[in-house]
Amino acid sequence: MRNIIPVANPKIDKKEAYQVYKTVLSKWITMGSNVKKFEEKIKKYIGTNFAIAMNNGTSTLDALLSALNIKKDDEIIVPSFTYISTANVVLYKKAKLVLCDVDKNTFNLTLEEIKKKITKKTKLIITVDIKGLPIDYDEIKKIKKKYNIPIICDSAEAFGSEYKNSKVGSQFLAHSFSFFANKNITTGEGGAITTNNKKLYNKLKIIRNQGQEGRYNHTHLGNNYRMTDINASIGLAQINKINKIIKDKNLIAKRYNKYFSKIKEIELPVLPKYVSQHSWYNY
């Protein structure tokens, strides 16, 4: 029998099964109290004022662009190396996708590369913490100060990473996370946005729920981006394991580095000094 290395190997067991079992027995399986509890745990873990859960990471990005009023022909800067969702959400709005080169060592955006792409039509910059490695947030914040262009981060792969001893998720206007089966914690399908901006948070809640402010009072063009209580119940068990998961991943990465360092044909991953913890979504 062949040895198979799985693409996704979620750390799920009886704890997640029990949470799902309780939720099913409650007969409330759509968005409800479990989603709220999960959001509370996320914002406490990240250290932000607000967290809003959605049905997947692509939805979180799309909702953010809607909340920021991105329109046709607006220029949006996106890294050339990312998962397709980061680019797709720009195309959904019929905005202009402006691809930006990434650093050859970290595979992340840099201040200098972004500045090359900024024009008078630039309305938003979407950065990506590729494979869980945080970008240099403080460096890229200089763009916001100089050009007054909002910056959001696709941190889909970076749940559990730390930048200068702070959890990734509070550095920019908003951060988007994914909880797909291959992420550091999973809800099966799911995502979340973290932010400290109350106005943005309130608008995102409306957009997530078909644009409703109160039942059947539709004030915005929204969508059905709700997370179910079943998915959130898995997340409630998963988030309690995040520290152990990150610790184990870092031990594996150190082991890889130890042995790969002896092979001259292999370049080891670059770990900048500002990264106090890598989540190692992928090595």
Side-chain angles (χ1 to χ4, degrees), residues 91-143:
L91 302 179
Y92 295 159
K93 307 300 182 191
K94 299 189 185 324
K96 183 178 179 181
L97 178 65
V98 179
L99 294 176
C100 183
D101 280 342
V102 296
D103 179 75
K104 67 177 182 179
N105 294 312
T106 65
F107 304 105
N108 279 334
L109 287 181
T110 63
L111 176 64
E112 292 307 312
E113 290 298 334
I114 294 172
K115 285 164 67 175
K116 294 176 185 177
K117 298 293 183 175
I118 292 174
T119 73
K120 292 180 180 179
K121 291 185 177 181
T122 304
K123 297 297 187 221
L124 180 68
I125 297 164
I126 306 177
T127 63
V128 176
D129 299 318
I130 200 71
K131 308 305 177 189
L133 180 70
I135 62 168
D136 192 344
Y137 299 116
D138 288 344
E139 186 72 7
I140 291 179
K141 278 179 184 176
K142 294 175 183 177
I143 291 170

Side-chain angles (χ1 to χ4, degrees), residues 15 22-23 26 35 46 78 86 93-94 128 132 143 149 176 195 199 216 229-230 235 240-241 261 279:
K15 293 182 178 67
K22 286 197 304 180
T23 302
S26 76
V35 172
I46 299 295
V78 170
T86 324
K93 307 300 182 191
K94 299 189 185 324
V128 176
I143 291 170
I149 299 170
S176 161
T195 183
K199 184 177 180 181
Y216 302 130
D229 261 19
I230 293 175
N240 290 331
K241 300 177 179 180
S261 65
S279 67

Side-chain angles (χ1 to χ4, degrees), residues 10-150:
K11 306 301 179 185
I12 52 177
D13 54 36
K14 292 180 180 179
K15 293 182 178 67
E16 286 81 1
Y18 179 62
Q19 290 287 351
V20 172
Y21 175 71
K22 286 197 304 180
T23 302
V24 172
L25 284 186
S26 76
K27 297 185 179 180
W28 188 276
I29 57 175
T30 186
M31 188 171 70
S33 61
N34 279 351
V35 172
K36 185 64 178 175
K37 290 175 187 175
F38 187 44
E39 290 170 339
E40 290 292 322
K41 288 213 169 202
I42 291 170
K43 74 177 189 181
K44 184 178 180 181
Y45 178 74
I46 299 295
T48 52
N49 292 330
F50 308 104
I52 180 164
M54 296 191 187
N55 59 347
N56 59 63
T58 307
S59 297
T60 60
L61 288 171
D62 187 60
L64 277 168
L65 266 62
S66 294
L68 295 170
N69 298 313
I70 298 302
K71 296 182 175 60
K72 184 179 179 180
D73 296 328
D74 288 345
E75 292 185 3
I76 315 298
I77 295 174
V78 170
S80 58
F81 184 50
T82 182
Y83 185 64
I84 193 66
S85 295
T86 324
N88 278 347
V89 295
V90 176
L91 302 179
Y92 295 159
K93 307 300 182 191
K94 299 189 185 324
K96 183 178 179 181
L97 178 65
V98 179
L99 294 176
C100 183
D101 280 342
V102 296
D103 179 75
K104 67 177 182 179
N105 294 312
T106 65
F107 304 105
N108 279 334
L109 287 181
T110 63
L111 176 64
E112 292 307 312
E113 290 298 334
I114 294 172
K115 285 164 67 175
K116 294 176 185 177
K117 298 293 183 175
I118 292 174
T119 73
K120 292 180 180 179
K121 291 185 177 181
T122 304
K123 297 297 187 221
L124 180 68
I125 297 164
I126 306 177
T127 63
V128 176
D129 299 318
I130 200 71
K131 308 305 177 189
L133 180 70
I135 62 168
D136 192 344
Y137 299 116
D138 288 344
E139 186 72 7
I140 291 179
K141 278 179 184 176
K142 294 175 183 177
I143 291 170
K144 177 68 170 68
K145 188 174 181 180
K146 183 175 181 179
Y147 298 97
N148 197 32
I149 299 170

Side-chain angles (χ1 to χ4, degrees), residues 156-198:
E157 301 168 347
F159 196 81
S161 292
E162 292 181 4
Y163 175 82
K164 297 182 178 179
N165 296 310
S166 293
K167 290 286 189 297
V168 165
S170 63
Q171 289 77 17
F172 285 162
L173 173 63
H175 289 251
S176 161
F177 295 98
S178 169
F179 303 129
F180 183 61
N182 62 359
K183 298 302 189 294
N184 290 336
I185 67 167
T186 183
T187 55
E189 290 280 3
I193 297 164
T194 55
T195 183
N196 286 316
N197 188 300
K198 187 175 182 179

